[in-house]
Amino acid sequence: MALMTSHLSSGDPESSLMAFRSLGSSPGIAHNEFTLSAALKCCGVSGDVGRGSQVHAACVKSGFESQPFVGNSIIAMYSKCGSIGDSVRVFDAMRERRSLVSWNAMIAGYVNAGCSRKAVLVFAEMWRNCETPDEFTLSSVFKGCGAAGDFAEGKQIHAYVVVSGFPISLKTSVASALIDFYVKCGRLVEARRVFDRTVVKNEVSWTAMMAGYVQEGCLYEAMDLFRELRKVETIVDGFVLSSLAGVFADLALIVQGKQIHAYTTKISCVLDVSVANSIVDMYLKCGLTDDAMKRFEEIASKNVVSWTVMITGYGKHGHAREAIHLFEAMRLEMIDPDEVAYLAVLSACSHAGLVKESREYFERLRRDSRVQPKVEHYACMVDVLGRAGRLEEAKSLIEDMPVEANVGIWQTLLSACRVHKDLKMGREVGGILMELDEGNAVNYVMVSNIYAEAGEWGECERIRGLMRRRGLKKDGGRSWIEIKKEVHNFYGGDDSHPLMGRIREALMDVERRMREEVGYVSRTGFAMHDIEEESKEDNLRMHSERLAVGLALACGGSSPEIRDVIRVFKNLRVCGLP
């Protein structure tokens, strides 16, 4: 037992299980509830449900399954392995023997499986059974409410906790989960109130609160909080800095990202490879590939994630040859690519239309016994074939692949049909998408756009009408720009910005100069409406990207921090405008 525990504590569940097997084969020595529970924990940590089931069978055979201690371990093992149905069956069988640990294991299992609503229902049942929750219970249930965005339920549980006298402000883990719940529900005032009352804040509390401010565009508050964090005794570890860098990367906030980078150079966690990877990713997502490469080269012990981040970044910026070079360099460094690394290089090749290279890496992937091609890898091949106009070949690949086709891969083919104006195949693929995912507004928009570009306005309106009758609405394309440390968001056709008059004037002036000096002509085919030419040009002027550029021009250019470069960022891909 001591040997098993030692191996598990050192992060080596495999060796712990080997000790478990050796114990079982030793004459005169039998397993007990402690060795069985330790083995179940090892299987849960490694995610090995096969061996976990074998240990479960041993528990049944030896009669230890009926002991609550072992039963709780079985529930936790199946939950961690993603077999939530098996957890439920064991939990139901323990109806008369449940302890607080049993309830906690089931609630956490539902949360980890993404079944947050069911986790809340189990908590409610636990409440009705007069079982008093502890820190673990409340942390899990608040996490579940946050994941589900269930504000009313979480607020009610918070009220119950307060009335019951539970000392939230003194329980750091519960306070952190509660802060995260309010942040995910967009309730920053409530989150800050809990944050300020928490006696001992941990890295989760600080990160959740700062991330919430950033996501709501409150950059001043986020950076003020970061400065406050640096003054207190809480250790700013790699988790906090990686999380912050990730948030700034996702929103392409280069000024704030550089401040995080500057801070990491002053403390020991600069040696943390996860922090370094996040900094590289931040520079790449902000479009600064040269800075990203400098940071990448400074990483002393690069792991496969380091290489994959850099390959992905090069691919997204259209530098496919550089991405390929990095992939080969990674192999020379004796670092084996995983499925994500293969996906990164395939994606880079597909974006650049490199058919030959895509085939080569796809074949390497299929020959690599360590990894298995997934639908995302096939989607890259469909994308590159579609870009090359080989639509029939792309369609055959989808139909013949050994994995089940998902909505995304058919959308990739449909997009290629639109590019190459293949209405016949587009109609067929659109029909497949409607059957597979009739509740997804994106499919309706893509099909209607194909009809619109073909001039079949009747069919276009029929699809749009069907979409409206079903109450579907596509997420709007959003562009944003940071000017003087303030983020401005724009949606297509949105004229609510207070400087809209100046924005329109700036855009009209640029268009006039482009026509006079370089002969610019608007590509009104992107207007996607059967209306007069002049109205089409006005519609194009209201695209979110143009509005963001117009604001930068109206303000005399962008911030001096980014060297007079206008950087516009989008939540979707860039519109096909000149």
Side-chain angles (χ1 to χ4, degrees):
M1 178 63 190
L3 182 61
M4 290 179 65
T5 304
S6 175
H7 284 309
L8 185 58
S9 300
S10 62
D12 189 3
E14 186 62 36
S15 295
S16 184
L17 286 171
M18 288 178 64
F20 174 78
R21 284 196 296 270
S22 298
L23 174 64
S25 61
S26 300
I29 302 178
H31 289 301
N32 57 29
E33 64 268 35
F34 302 107
T35 58
L36 289 167
S37 294
L40 288 165
K41 185 174 182 180
C42 291
C43 295
V45 169
S46 59
D48 192 338
V49 70
R51 283 193 287 187
S53 297
Q54 292 176 11
V55 179
H56 181 191
C59 296
V60 174
K61 186 177 180 180
S62 60
F64 284 110
E65 184 194 31
S66 60
Q67 294 196 9
F69 180 63
V70 177
N72 295 337
S73 297
I74 295 171
I75 295 172
M77 180 275 294
Y78 280 125
S79 297
K80 290 176 181 176
C81 291
S83 298
I84 193 67
D86 291 311
S87 291
V88 173
R89 280 188 285 274
V90 177
F91 180 74
D92 289 341
M94 292 176 62
R95 187 170 297 277
E96 303 302 325
R97 296 176 284 108
R98 292 173 187 166
S99 65
L100 177 59
V101 177
S102 312
W103 291 100
N104 286 347
M106 198 65 250
I107 292 171
Y110 271 133
V111 171
N112 294 331
C115 306
S116 300
R117 182 58 189 162
K118 290 183 178 179
V120 173
L121 291 176
V122 172
F123 177 78
E125 183 184 353
M126 172 185 169
W127 192 349
R128 288 193 297 271
N129 280 269
C130 301
E131 187 73 59
T132 303
D134 63 2
E135 290 181 57
F136 191 90
T137 320
L138 295 172
S139 297
S140 295
V141 77
F142 282 131
K143 181 181 177 182
C145 290
D150 196 339
F151 174 72
E153 198 77 56
K155 183 75 172 178
Q156 185 177 2
I157 294 172
H158 183 193
Y160 153 74
V161 173
V162 172
V163 171
S164 67
F166 189 90
I168 296 178
S169 61
L170 298 176
K171 301 295 183 180
T172 304
S173 61
V174 178
S176 299
L178 186 56
I179 293 166
D180 186 59
F181 154 69
Y182 279 125
V183 165
K184 286 179 177 174
C185 291
R187 305 286 182 148
L188 293 187
V189 173
E190 289 92 337
R192 187 58 190 260
R193 188 179 297 123
V194 176
F195 179 84
D196 289 339
R197 291 175 179 173
T198 303
V199 177
V200 180
K201 303 174 181 68
N202 63 8
E203 63 272 13
V204 178
S205 311
W206 289 95
T207 304
M209 198 67 245
M210 285 185 280
Y213 278 134
V214 171
Q215 289 162 4
E216 294 298 322
C218 306
L219 300 186
Y220 284 115
E221 290 84 349
M223 296 312 294
D224 282 346
L225 204 58
F226 180 66
R227 283 188 285 271
E228 183 181 337
L229 169 61
R230 292 167 60 179
K231 295 176 183 177
V232 299
E233 294 182 358
T234 300
I235 298 175
V236 185
D237 62 7
F239 175 79
V240 174
L241 292 170
S242 293
S243 300
L244 273 179
V247 170
F248 292 142
D250 289 340
L251 295 176
L253 301 175
I254 184 61
V255 175
Q256 291 74 17
K258 283 185 174 181
Q259 290 183 37
I260 295 295
H261 176 211
Y263 180 70
T264 64
T265 63
K266 300 177 183 178
I267 58 178
S268 59
C269 80
V270 70
L271 301 176
D272 188 329
V273 68
S274 65
V275 176
N277 293 341
S278 297
I279 296 297
V280 171
D281 185 52
M282 182 273 297
Y283 278 114
L284 286 168
K285 287 181 177 176
C286 292
L288 302 177
T289 53
D290 290 341
D291 292 273
M293 177 51 78
K294 290 177 184 176
R295 305 291 81 78
F296 173 77
E297 290 174 341
E298 291 171 356
I299 302 176
S301 301
K302 302 178 182 67
N303 58 17
V304 68
V305 177
S306 312
W307 291 92
T308 302
V309 166
M310 200 68 220
I311 294 167
T312 301
Y314 268 144
K316 287 184 176 180
H317 288 289
H319 305 310
R321 296 296 178 188
E322 289 85 346
I324 291 172
H325 174 75
L326 276 177
F327 187 85
E328 296 300 334
M330 176 179 69
R331 298 291 298 274
L332 291 175
E333 293 290 333
M334 305 303 292
I335 296 179
D336 293 324
D338 58 12
E339 61 186 35
V340 182
Y342 274 114
L343 184 61
V345 73
L346 282 171
S347 180
C349 292
S350 69
H351 287 329
L354 302 179
V355 179
K356 179 182 175 182
E357 291 81 355
S358 293
R359 291 187 190 278
E360 177 184 342
Y361 285 111
F362 189 67
E363 287 305 314
R364 282 200 207 179
L365 168 62
R366 295 211 282 197
R367 292 194 302 267
D368 194 331
S369 60
R370 299 173 301 102
V371 291
Q372 291 293 324
K374 294 189 175 180
V375 67
E376 292 81 7
H377 300 101
Y378 282 93
C380 285
M381 288 305 301
V382 169
D383 183 51
V384 73
L385 292 172
R387 289 171 187 265
R390 303 180 185 182
L391 301 182
E392 290 293 344
E393 187 178 350
K395 184 169 179 288
S396 297
L397 181 64
I398 296 176
E399 294 170 341
D400 297 338
M401 65 184 189
V403 294
E404 184 178 356
N406 61 9
V407 171
I409 198 168
W410 286 113
Q411 287 178 339
T412 300
L413 181 57
L414 185 60
S415 180
C417 292
R418 178 184 176 186
V419 170
H420 294 284
K421 303 187 186 304
D422 191 329
L423 182 60
K424 181 180 177 182
M425 184 178 288
R427 194 191 306 269
E428 181 182 353
V429 175
I432 294 172
L433 274 170
M434 297 294 192
E435 291 182 8
L436 279 177
D437 194 17
E438 65 177 3
N440 189 345
V442 173
N443 300 327
Y444 295 81
V445 173
M446 292 180 71
V447 174
S448 67
N449 285 348
I450 286 180
Y451 283 125
E453 290 194 357
E456 296 198 13
W457 297 105
E459 283 296 299
C460 173
E461 184 54 37
R462 182 182 69 81
I463 297 296
R464 292 277 181 166
L466 183 61
M467 176 179 165
R468 287 192 294 270
R469 287 192 297 275
R470 291 181 175 175
L472 303 177
K473 187 176 180 181
K474 179 178 176 291
D475 290 338
R478 176 171 63 94
S479 299
W480 65 91
I481 187 169
E482 182 184 358
I483 296 178
K484 296 180 180 178
K485 297 184 180 180
E486 182 179 359
V487 176
H488 299 261
N489 290 282
F490 292 93
Y491 293 87
D494 179 14
D495 61 356
S496 61
H497 196 280
L499 298 179
M500 184 54 64
R502 291 172 57 186
I503 291 172
R504 282 181 173 273
E505 290 177 7
L507 290 175
M508 293 285 284
D509 180 61
V510 170
E511 289 175 24
R512 177 187 58 76
R513 291 167 53 193
M514 290 170 63
R515 287 192 178 95
E516 293 175 356
E517 297 174 19
V518 296
Y520 164 75
V521 178
S522 298
R523 295 169 64 186
T524 54
F526 286 106
M528 300 304 296
H529 295 287
D530 189 16
I531 56 179
E532 295 298 324
E533 202 70 16
E534 184 176 344
S535 297
K536 287 184 179 181
E537 291 188 8
D538 191 55
N539 282 351
L540 294 181
R541 200 172 292 123
M542 293 298 289
H543 271 260
S544 62
E545 304 99 314
R546 286 196 173 190
L547 293 175
V549 171
L551 176 63
L553 295 173
C555 294
S558 59
S559 303
E561 295 94 329
I562 50 179
R563 304 171 189 172
D564 297 323
V565 175
I566 296 176
R567 300 185 186 278
V568 177
F569 304 96
K570 287 184 63 66
N571 63 330
L572 306 174
R573 59 180 167 181
V574 176
C575 181
L577 290 174

